[in-house]
Amino acid sequence: MAVISKEEISLQKDFINKIYDINSRKDIKPLAFVETYGCAQNFNDSEKICGMLSDMGYGFTEDKLLADIIIYNTCAVRENAEKRVYGNIGAIKNIKKKKENLLLGVCGCMVQQEAIAENVKKRYPYVDMIFGTHALYRFPEILYNALNEKRVFDVENSDGAICEDISCHRDAPPLAKIPIMYGCNNFCTYCIVPYVRGRERSRKMENILAEVRQVADEGYKEVMLLGQNVNSYGNDFEDGTTFASLLKEVCKIDGIERVRFMTSHPKDISDELISVMASEEKICKQLHLPVQCGSSRVLKLMNRKYTKEQYLETIQKVREKMPEIVLTTDIIVGFPGETNEDFEETIDVLKKVRYDTIFSFIYSKRGGTPAATMEDCLTDEEKHKNFDRLLEVQNQISKEKNDEYLGKIEKILVEGESKTNPDTLSGRTDGGKIVNFKGDASLIGKIIDVKITKTQTWSLSGEMEK
Ligand code: SAH
Ligand code: SF4
Ligand code: F3S
């Protein structure tokens, strides 16, 4: 596995120091605005960009107009994510006209695709830095060159490497995201991720555990272990390390009270993993297991490597060991070649599994993936009709699942003030359900008992137990 060398890291540290020197001579601390699209992995990348920015003497702002540097960390998984980014880059043109020294950077999965990067470069000449996912650790050098009025374009393709030792600027406790592996080898036929994130590579267990210990010392209570397919963790070592063995070690770390992970691929959920999940108290009883589609025929076209029956068997095994498990999934509607009969199989899976929540998407064609050249069966209208029906069926199930919590006392890790109602606190159950309740902000970061008194489709409401 390729690891970024100590020399390269020290070179980047030199750039960090040079920029810090420039910034420390300024009267006012320069500010950065960083906006992130896509998955938790990308949000973790942004935490690293912010970590480097902070080391370089930047502060942060939520207001673009106050920023000296604007970074868009982009996602390429579906077209509408890309459209929003284009809209945002376009809108910076006028701000740039008024603020000569403002630097604009576009990074992440979208611009890791060469054609898109070239397009951004041509269409938006005022973008100063364009860099892909593999260039993340070179950000200090990229920024240094941009500050010296060079336009930087760093989107070289790569199988990917691992870079330890980048500072991470996280949200305040209690939740910390910790990547355990990068990249993906699965090449589901609809998906762009393997093309923009490189091959699967696992971080050394000692590095992961050191990071978990560090966040525990900083007061974080819950860690989310991240990877596109966490079940493959350790497959690239030759010492028998598995994801389950990593989980056991993470659970031993004092101060960490909850451990979650994302995402698991249904094709390789091992019995060992299920039994570690069931026996380790700190592992949250929540499993996100993307099914994508209920039709075995379509699953084959998607290259998912399991059938509907195998998937349902896995769910049954998981439920036998953990009856209380909260299950969630991802579903794609309208994959090329999907018929209305195939779609009925998806509805059937929904009814059989009875997920707590689903994340559903209409298929979006991604250039360069095998599915992009496959033929469509259904019209857009039919796809939307199926999509609406999927939501209708699921919303009913979600509400019924939530109703089962009425009157129960749940342990809630208080995360912060509710987004929709500032005098209300918000936290999560062990299974990951959002619970809103009245309480004092001093409870943030604590695990407390809350009695569930009301349920909605997407969340629960409750009252603190005295
Ligand atoms: N590695 C994870 C998910 C990565 S992307 C996994 O395998 O589950 C998150 C979700 O986006 C996927 O689960 C899938 O449902 C959806 N997705 C990916 N590519 C898509 C596409 N081209 N169109 C629509 N949805 C897509
Ligand atoms: Fe994409 Fe499939 Fe890899 Fe998930 S497992 S990132 S859906 S290719
Ligand atoms: Fe994540 Fe989107 Fe990239 S889902 S890996 S940010 S394409």
Side-chain angles (χ1 to χ4, degrees):
M1 167 225 317
V3 174
I4 305 301
S5 68
K6 290 227 155 39
E7 291 73 44
E8 180 64 30
I9 291 171
S10 119
L11 182 74
Q12 295 306 322
K13 292 238 157 91
D14 290 345
F15 284 111
I16 289 182
N17 293 336
K18 280 186 197 163
I19 298 175
Y20 182 83
D21 281 346
I22 301 171
N23 284 337
S24 61
R25 284 194 296 269
K26 290 182 178 156
D27 297 333
I28 314 165
K29 194 174 182 140
L31 296 176
F33 170 92
V34 179
E35 191 156 279
T36 313
Y37 299 82
C39 62
Q41 201 99 59
N42 224 30
F43 278 81
N44 180 255
D45 283 354
S46 286
E47 290 175 344
K48 288 179 178 149
I49 290 175
C50 292
M52 292 184 260
L53 282 166
S54 176
D55 288 350
M56 292 185 278
Y58 286 88
F60 299 97
T61 174
E62 307 271 305
D63 182 352
K64 279 188 209 99
L65 298 176
L66 297 178
D68 299 279
I69 169 166
I70 294 178
I71 303 277
Y72 288 119
N73 188 8
T74 63
C75 170
V77 85
R78 283 173 294 275
E79 194 186 2
N80 49 9
E82 294 190 343
K83 274 195 185 143
R84 274 169 59 206
V85 169
Y86 283 127
N88 278 330
I89 306 176
I92 304 297
K93 190 173 181 179
N94 283 332
I95 307 181
K96 268 219 127 183
K97 270 189 201 147
K98 288 186 208 122
K99 198 168 180 177
E100 221 177 84
N101 293 328
L102 171 65
L103 286 180
L104 173 59
V106 180
C107 65
C109 294
M110 231 172 112
V111 289
Q112 188 58 60
Q113 304 162 91
E114 216 184 313
I116 297 207
E118 288 289 351
N119 185 33
V120 172
K121 189 177 169 188
K122 243 191 263 140
R123 257 175 74 188
Y124 307 96
Y126 52 89
V127 177
D128 305 285
M129 301 169 275
I130 298 173
F131 57 105
T133 61
H134 300 302
L136 183 77
Y137 75 92
R138 286 195 291 273
F139 176 56
E141 183 176 357
I142 292 168
L143 180 53
Y144 183 80
N145 285 328
L147 285 166
N148 286 300
E149 296 184 19
K150 293 194 189 109
R151 198 171 184 219
V152 192
F153 190 71
D154 189 346
V155 300
E156 201 178 311
N157 200 12
S158 152
D159 280 347
I162 289 190
C163 185
E164 297 291 347
D165 302 318
I166 303 182
S167 306
C168 203
H169 183 86
R170 299 173 203 277
D171 285 344
L175 314 180
K177 295 187 257 310
I178 314 269
I180 62 165
M181 58 195 301
Y182 303 98
C184 181
N185 286 353
N186 290 316
F187 289 94
C188 303
T189 53
Y190 50 80
C191 185
I192 196 72
V193 172
Y195 302 86
V196 293
R197 287 276 170 178
R199 297 291 63 74
E200 233 164 57
R201 52 212 185 268
S202 307
R203 284 178 77 191
K204 280 197 185 138
M205 197 188 285
E206 64 206 59
N207 291 331
I208 299 169
L209 296 177
E211 190 172 353
V212 177
R213 272 186 219 109
Q214 188 195 333
V215 298
D217 287 346
E218 288 167 10
Y220 291 85
K221 292 268 169 61
E222 177 178 313
V223 288
M224 164 77 91
L225 306 179
L226 298 178
Q228 293 300 347
N229 176 15
V230 290
N231 306 337
S232 301
Y233 176 75
N235 283 359
D236 47 344
F237 303 153
E238 269 148 28
D239 60 358
T241 302
T242 59
F243 178 50
S245 60
L246 171 70
L247 277 174
K248 277 199 224 160
E249 293 305 314
V250 171
C251 288
K252 286 183 193 153
I253 295 173
D254 286 339
I256 296 301
E257 301 193 31
R258 287 181 168 187
V259 178
R260 293 185 205 278
F261 52 86
M262 260 225 322
T263 300
S264 311
H265 195 299
K267 77 177 159 65
D268 49 18
I269 285 239
S270 66
D271 292 347
E272 186 199 11
L273 174 62
I274 299 175
S275 77
V276 169
M277 264 189 97
S279 61
E280 290 286 349
E281 212 169 297
K282 288 185 182 178
I283 302 182
C284 293
K285 301 299 173 272
Q286 171 194 18
L287 186 61
H288 181 64
L289 201 58
V291 65
Q292 311 298 0
C293 173
S295 151
S296 297
R297 190 185 75 82
V298 175
L299 285 169
K300 189 144 203 257
L301 293 174
M302 289 177 159
N303 192 30
R304 288 292 286 179
K305 303 189 182 80
Y306 53 85
T307 61
K308 175 188 182 188
E309 290 68 32
Q310 284 164 337
Y311 182 89
L312 291 175
E313 260 168 48
T314 304
I315 295 286
Q316 199 184 342
K317 265 201 229 165
V318 169
R319 279 229 165 98
E320 263 163 27
K321 291 258 181 172
M322 293 169 280
E324 74 279 36
I325 191 101
V326 169
L327 288 170
T328 58
T329 201
D330 290 348
I331 286 173
I332 297 176
V333 174
F335 181 82
E338 185 182 69
T339 62
N340 285 326
E341 291 76 56
D342 292 316
F343 176 71
E344 289 308 317
E345 300 274 342
T346 302
I347 295 283
D348 186 49
V349 168
L350 244 54
K351 289 183 176 164
K352 288 206 163 98
V353 177
R354 294 181 60 79
Y355 296 101
D356 290 84
T357 310
I358 66 168
F359 301 90
S360 45
F361 316 98
I362 291 191
Y363 168 75
S364 167
K365 190 189 269 198
R366 305 287 71 204
T369 63
T373 50
M374 294 181 189
E375 264 188 49
D376 248 352
C377 279
L378 301 180
T379 61
D380 281 354
E381 202 187 340
E382 282 171 304
K383 290 181 186 179
H384 278 96
K385 212 171 120 215
N386 287 344
F387 186 78
D388 291 346
R389 175 135 162 270
L390 187 84
L391 291 190
E392 200 183 306
V393 171
Q394 181 56 38
N395 285 348
Q396 169 84 19
I397 297 173
S398 293
K399 179 71 167 76
E400 286 166 9
K401 289 292 247 181
N402 281 350
D403 285 346
E404 291 170 14
Y405 284 77
L406 270 178
K408 283 195 183 160
I409 295 168
E410 289 285 317
K411 293 228 170 299
I412 306 300
L413 173 57
V414 188
E415 290 175 12
E417 278 154 6
S418 151
K419 280 186 201 118
T420 43
N421 193 350
D423 62 339
T424 299
L425 294 178
S426 176
R428 274 171 210 269
T429 64
D430 180 276
K433 292 197 183 255
I434 298 169
V435 181
N436 295 310
F437 58 97
K438 292 240 176 314
D440 191 83
S442 63
L443 293 169
I444 294 170
K446 300 209 164 81
I447 295 184
I448 57 164
D449 284 333
V450 173
K451 184 173 183 173
I452 308 304
T453 52
K454 212 172 140 222
T455 65
Q456 297 86 25
T457 309
W458 297 100
S459 64
L460 309 171
S461 312
E463 284 163 17
M464 259 168 71
E465 283 283 290
K466 295 273 153 33

